[in-house]
Amino acid sequence: MSESGDDAHPSGIPRPPTVKEVAERAGVSPMTVSRVFAGGANVRPELRTRVARAAAELGYRRNENARSLRPGHKSGLIGVTITNIANPYYAELQRGIEDAAAKANRRILVGNSNEDPALERQLVADFIGRRVEGLIVVPADPAHSEHLSPESVGTTPIVFASRPVPGLAVDTVLVDDVGGAYAATSRLLDEGHQRIAFLGTRTSVLTGQRRLQGYRTAHRDHNVPVYEHLVRTGQQEAAGAERALAELLAHEIAPTAVFSANNRNTLGAIRAIARFRSSVPADSPEVRLIGFDSFEFADLSPVPLSIVAHDPGALGRRAAELLLARIDHPTQTKSAQTVELPVELQLDPRAPE
Amino acid sequence: MSESGDDAHPSGIPRPPTVKEVAERAGVSPMTVSRVFAGGANVRPELRTRVARAAAELGYRRNENARSLRPGHKSGLIGVTITNIANPYYAELQRGIEDAAAKANRRILVGNSNEDPALERQLVADFIGRRVEGLIVVPADPAHSEHLSPESVGTTPIVFASRPVPGLAVDTVLVDDVGGAYAATSRLLDEGHQRIAFLGTRTSVLTGQRRLQGYRTAHRDHNVPVYEHLVRTGQQEAAGAERALAELLAHEIAPTAVFSANNRNTLGAIRAIARFRSSVPADSPEVRLIGFDSFEFADLSPVPLSIVAHDPGALGRRAAELLLARIDHPTQTKSAQTVELPVELQLDPRAPE
DNA sequence: CTGTTAGCGCCTTCAG
DNA sequence: CTGAAGGCGCTAACAG
């Protein structure tokens, strides 16, 4: 057991014990203490126990910061910048990153950029200052990402998760946004829908752009024109999506189906459709809805909801693995790669066909 | 702009530049470089710019780990142990912690204990080794928490979030579990229900125990006996809760109402009730449901769902504030305090009365 | 098997 | 205004 009151000899505040103090108490040199904590090889058993006891009594812990200062040592830290951890999608992403990092005996430093590139820049600078071994970043804004360029981060390896940054040669892990949006939209077109609303985030988020692209390409391939008034971008939160779709449903050229490009927009869409349905005759045709992103409550949705599902945890794990590969082989200058993770179209059992 | 290839003079791998290298390049002493980065007071403007240029060219960043080694300096880190960040509840908790920590210019190290005390112990040991200024812990198991005692963590301040650990004199932030469960159960009893099911986690999670206590006390105060077969604990995930409630609903003494003690159990309860309802005549009486924990989809639930709502973000913020207070006044030995955050019973508009 | 020396990157202290 | 010396905690490398 350790003693409670850590000694505060000279200064006012208590400082954790050091090798030197342990050595003194055990009647040995600091080196011997160091050796014991390094595994105890080449130390007489008697000294070993004496040191162990002294250390326990003082509550000694090796100072990792001091250790990582020595040549050849690394910090064991990975810096993670997420746009908003309160979004369950990113929570799972973080979980995946941490799982993979922990396997490689690394700890993660986490910061929310809140979609603000300036904050993101600060976080990255701070992380580098702490000598993280690598960075995993969900880029807030591709238009303001100079601080994420390989030149800016110097020797620190970096991986982008979930969103690309065009123009930067950096390893990136994405989901198959284009393919998923294409599949979902195609499905709706195949069902005969001609007026399909698109609900998405602001287009500066490239993931949203890619999903819109899939939506457009599907229309083109099916020779169905896109009604531009049905394309609504810029909704970052559910409330905005609900308003946007409510407007569309009240429009004289209303959509008969909806593709929502992320989980926030899907949530708003469900609310809008549910509300709309209670305002029209019960035998009115159902508004079809397919949403991008897995959705824990899909089966409980009051309106049939099909999903373009994918696994954010796997994305995080993959990003961490790419990063760790760069960390372990810093000399190999393999060029930047982009990985696209597959998606799966999960149809609501209530869906037609 | 910085040069790309950082020099790797002696060893094989590239090492980030140091004050010394910047000094050399700028033709000054390391001290001058240090002064410039400390704000540049008492440095001739000309030297200031020369140093700044040299630093930029080399891509120099102050090494915070080395800095924190100096007497009086702290690491600027806070260690956070969460049981499972993939649970949206804890994601918001983390968000709250980080917001408060960032305001105090601290960064957070995060680890998932996965409800495993051994893992938790390792994480805490690691964090202390990195000289975090404080710890915020969601305790995995109160029965195995010696590593969280003030003696074990030495001088590192610690705060428990969301769950208490009886017997340890440690600052703790909780929600009003007992009061919330009492209010919810009382509401159901007041509505005339006599057979109210309880769905909760394993009772080693004390938060679950406290909520069960509120449920029992409400029964006692209303002179209604608790049907023990209706008390089902041990469900950590939604699937288990769904099974448990399905069994109860099929029981000959079936519940007419349900109090579910956390968001996972609520989700399972919704599924069970929805499924059950489709198997009985449409005019059968509704099974009433009140769930603890805020629930983003409450308004979309296919069965009326009232909620004992609270704000996990606020809980995180509060925990961080308590911790920072201890950090800033390490000498003040104010005794450990427990803060209980209020809850609010939010009735579903579809609920009776 | 054990101790001494020296230095990781930085900055406080004290001379110039 | 600038630099030299020394030490924060730890451990390789080299004696003994």
Side-chain angles (χ1 to χ4, degrees):
Chain A
M1 305 305 107
S2 66
E3 300 192 323
S4 26
D6 290 41
D7 23 9
H9 289 302
S11 57
I13 55 169
R15 298 173 79 357
T18 71
V19 258
K20 205 182 290 185
E21 301 173 49
V22 176
E24 209 164 326
R25 184 171 191 113
V28 298
S29 82
M31 247 338 278
T32 301
V33 176
S34 176
R35 284 201 183 92
V36 170
F37 274 84
N42 297 341
V43 178
R44 204 167 5 126
E46 189 218 322
L47 287 193
R48 212 155 27 195
T49 54
R50 241 164 61 202
V51 167
R53 200 159 49 79
E57 286 167 355
L58 291 167
Y60 169 77
R61 318 264 194 155
R62 274 205 297 208
N63 184 333
E64 288 300 327
N65 297 330
R67 288 191 81 211
S68 75
L69 211 57
R70 318 228 68 253
H73 271 88
K74 312 288 215 57
S75 69
L77 293 177
I78 291 185
V80 178
T81 323
I82 298 233
T83 47
N84 177 15
I85 189 66
N87 183 333
Y89 175 89
Y90 292 114
E92 289 199 37
L93 182 76
Q94 177 184 320
R95 181 68 143 114
I97 292 172
E98 200 219 314
D99 285 349
K103 262 183 205 146
N105 201 26
R106 304 299 206 293
R107 232 48 84 190
I108 60 172
L109 270 166
V110 186
N112 283 296
S113 70
N114 216 11
E115 303 279 5
D116 175 356
L119 230 177
E120 178 183 83
R121 203 188 55 72
Q122 281 180 33
L123 285 170
V124 167
D126 180 276
F127 290 165
I128 295 177
R130 294 175 190 284
R131 295 299 184 263
V132 294
E133 296 183 47
L135 291 162
I136 295 179
V137 171
V138 179
D141 186 343
H144 303 279
S145 297
E146 314 74 31
H147 54 285
L148 301 177
S149 72
E151 309 85 63
S152 301
V153 298
T155 42
T156 313
I158 179 168
V159 173
F160 295 146
S162 187
R163 302 177 182 176
V165 179
L168 293 189
V170 166
D171 286 348
T172 302
V173 186
L174 308 172
V175 298
D176 182 8
D177 300 301
V178 181
Y182 184 94
T185 310
S186 294
R187 165 76 197 196
L188 294 173
L189 292 165
D190 288 342
E191 287 178 12
H193 294 280
Q194 301 272 325
R195 298 198 306 273
I196 305 171
F198 177 94
L199 298 176
T201 58
R202 51 186 171 72
T203 50
S204 64
V205 178
L206 291 197
T207 295
Q209 238 180 69
R210 285 159 50 87
R211 293 176 187 176
L212 179 52
Q213 179 193 332
Y215 165 91
R216 289 194 186 280
T217 306
H219 278 78
R220 203 199 51 214
D221 288 358
H222 285 74
N223 290 309
V224 175
V226 169
Y227 288 79
E228 290 301 332
H229 77 283
L230 294 182
V231 175
R232 298 291 294 255
T233 59
Q235 301 84 237
Q236 297 295 119
E237 288 304 328
E242 181 178 353
R243 276 193 302 276
L245 183 52
E247 278 177 37
L248 293 182
L249 289 172
H251 196 277
E252 61 178 329
I253 305 176
T256 62
V258 179
F259 171 59
S260 71
N262 75 350
N263 62 6
R264 301 291 85 187
N265 276 275
T266 301
L267 182 52
I270 294 171
R271 292 202 172 109
I273 294 173
R275 200 146 300 171
F276 173 75
R277 222 174 39 179
S278 65
S279 73
V280 297
D283 59 346
S284 307
E286 187 81 68
V287 177
R288 274 284 273 144
L289 173 60
I290 304 187
F292 212 114
D293 289 341
S294 300
F295 205 85
E296 187 169 26
F297 304 85
D299 65 311
L300 294 177
S301 168
V303 310
L305 170 61
S306 300
I307 285 293
V308 180
H310 55 109
D311 181 352
L315 197 154
R317 248 173 283 129
R318 194 64 192 278
E321 285 158 7
L322 280 184
L323 185 66
L324 288 163
R326 293 273 177 197
I327 290 172
D328 291 338
H329 309 290
T331 47
Q332 277 183 33
T333 44
K334 202 160 56 168
S335 63
Q337 60 182 307
T338 292
V339 176
E340 284 205 2
L341 265 36
V343 300
E344 184 196 354
L345 183 57
Q346 295 177 344
L347 294 177
D348 192 294
R350 296 166 283 185
E353 257 147 290
Chain B
M1 308 301 108
S2 65
E3 298 192 327
S4 27
D6 289 42
D7 22 10
H9 289 301
S11 58
I13 55 169
R15 298 173 79 1
T18 71
V19 256
K20 204 183 291 185
E21 301 173 52
V22 175
E24 209 163 328
R25 185 173 190 114
V28 298
S29 81
M31 253 330 287
T32 301
V33 176
S34 176
R35 285 200 181 92
V36 170
F37 274 83
N42 297 341
V43 177
R44 211 177 348 140
E46 189 218 321
L47 286 194
R48 211 155 27 197
T49 54
R50 240 164 63 199
V51 167
R53 199 157 50 79
E57 286 167 355
L58 291 168
Y60 169 77
R61 318 263 193 155
R62 273 203 298 206
N63 184 334
E64 288 301 326
N65 297 330
R67 253 157 77 73
S68 75
L69 210 57
R70 318 232 63 254
H73 271 90
K74 313 287 214 57
S75 67
L77 294 176
I78 291 184
V80 178
T81 323
I82 298 231
T83 48
N84 177 15
I85 188 66
N87 183 333
Y89 176 87
Y90 292 113
E92 288 198 37
L93 182 76
Q94 177 183 318
R95 180 67 142 115
I97 293 172
E98 200 220 313
D99 285 349
K103 262 184 204 143
N105 200 27
R106 305 297 206 294
R107 233 45 88 186
I108 60 171
L109 270 166
V110 186
N112 283 294
S113 70
N114 216 11
E115 304 278 4
D116 176 357
L119 231 175
E120 179 183 85
R121 204 188 53 72
Q122 282 180 32
L123 285 170
V124 167
D126 181 276
F127 290 166
I128 294 177
R130 295 175 188 283
R131 295 298 184 266
V132 295
E133 296 183 47
L135 291 163
I136 295 178
V137 171
V138 180
D141 186 345
H144 303 279
S145 297
E146 314 75 29
H147 54 283
L148 302 177
S149 72
E151 309 85 62
S152 300
V153 298
T155 43
T156 313
I158 179 169
V159 173
F160 295 145
S162 187
R163 301 177 182 176
V165 179
L168 293 189
V170 166
D171 286 347
T172 303
V173 186
L174 307 172
V175 297
D176 182 7
D177 299 301
V178 181
Y182 184 94
T185 309
S186 294
R187 166 76 197 197
L188 294 172
L189 291 165
D190 288 342
E191 288 177 11
H193 292 281
Q194 301 271 328
R195 298 199 305 274
I196 304 170
F198 177 93
L199 298 177
T201 57
R202 50 185 172 72
T203 51
S204 66
V205 178
L206 290 197
T207 295
Q209 239 181 69
R210 286 159 50 88
R211 293 176 188 177
L212 179 52
Q213 180 192 331
Y215 164 93
R216 289 194 186 280
T217 306
H219 278 79
R220 203 198 53 213
D221 289 357
H222 285 73
N223 291 310
V224 175
V226 169
Y227 288 79
E228 290 302 331
H229 77 282
L230 294 181
V231 175
R232 297 291 295 255
T233 58
Q235 301 84 237
Q236 298 294 119
E237 287 305 327
E242 182 178 355
R243 276 194 304 274
L245 183 53
E247 277 176 38
L248 293 182
L249 290 172
H251 195 278
E252 61 178 330
I253 306 176
T256 63
V258 179
F259 171 59
S260 72
N262 76 349
N263 62 6
R264 303 290 85 187
N265 276 276
T266 300
L267 181 52
I270 295 171
R271 293 203 171 108
I273 294 174
R275 201 147 300 171
F276 172 75
R277 222 174 37 181
S278 63
S279 73
V280 297
D283 59 347
S284 307
E286 188 81 68
V287 176
R288 273 284 273 144
L289 174 61
I290 303 187
F292 212 113
D293 290 340
S294 300
F295 206 83
E296 186 170 27
F297 304 86
D299 65 312
L300 294 177
S301 167
V303 310
L305 170 61
S306 300
I307 285 293
V308 180
H310 55 107
D311 181 352
L315 197 156
R317 247 172 285 129
R318 195 63 191 280
E321 285 158 8
L322 280 184
L323 186 67
L324 288 163
R326 293 272 177 199
I327 290 173
D328 291 337
H329 308 290
T331 47
Q332 278 183 33
T333 45
K334 202 162 54 171
S335 63
Q337 59 182 307
T338 292
V339 176
E340 284 205 3
L341 266 35
V343 300
E344 184 196 353
L345 183 56
Q346 295 178 343
L347 294 177
D348 192 294
R350 296 165 283 184
E353 258 148 286

